[in-house]
Amino acid sequence: MNYTLDVTNLRLKESEHEMIETRLGLSLSRFASLIAQSNIAFSAGSADMKQSAIHCEITLKLQSGYKIDIRDDAKSVELAFTQALQRSKRSIERHLRHHRGPRLGSSMTTRT
């Protein structure tokens, strides 16, 4: 899956780059045909913020034109990215549930 990575005031390790690539592919691969553009941004928080030092922002633009913006904060890059990725996955699923309607061939009645 193609994405744009923007890092501000922070230095990512090679293992963190690999973790981002792997988790993004595993989590959003089934939605790859729906996603037109994806951007991931990391930034370090100020020294005053003790608990949430890393900010992660994921922006997904779907083929339908719908845009999903997710922001999350955590103590590490891995935690911030994992939380934001799970929230973005749930947002895509919610969007599909509300805009696709019932699937063709599915029964609307209960079986007896």
Side-chain angles (χ1 to χ4, degrees):
M1 173 178 245
N2 295 330
Y3 63 94
T4 305
L5 183 63
D6 181 29
V7 181
T8 308
N9 299 333
L10 188 65
R11 186 172 203 142
L12 293 180
K13 301 173 191 170
E14 184 64 31
S15 61
E16 292 171 332
H17 279 285
E18 292 173 4
M19 179 268 307
I20 291 168
E21 180 80 27
T22 303
R23 291 199 181 163
L24 185 67
L26 290 174
S27 295
L28 299 181
S29 63
R30 71 181 213 192
F31 304 115
S33 63
L34 301 173
I35 299 172
Q37 181 181 4
S38 58
N39 299 318
I40 302 168
F42 289 101
S43 63
S46 63
D48 298 341
M49 298 176 64
K50 296 176 183 173
Q51 294 178 358
S52 301
I54 307 296
H55 306 289
C56 178
E57 182 176 344
I58 298 177
T59 304
L60 301 172
K61 186 173 180 183
L62 303 182
Q63 296 286 351
S64 63
Y66 187 74
K67 186 176 178 183
I68 296 172
D69 288 320
I70 303 294
R71 293 178 185 89
D72 224 323
D73 302 330
K75 294 179 181 181
S76 70
V77 171
E78 183 178 1
L79 289 174
F81 182 66
T82 302
Q83 292 170 357
L85 192 59
Q86 292 302 318
R87 289 180 60 207
S88 61
K89 182 179 172 182
R90 287 193 305 266
S91 293
I92 292 172
E93 290 170 344
R94 187 179 324 112
H95 173 75
L96 293 176
R97 253 193 326 268
H98 291 298
H99 289 59
R100 273 197 177 165
R103 294 186 180 245
L104 296 176
S106 66
S107 175
M108 296 299 287
T109 61
T110 59
R111 296 180 188 215
T112 55

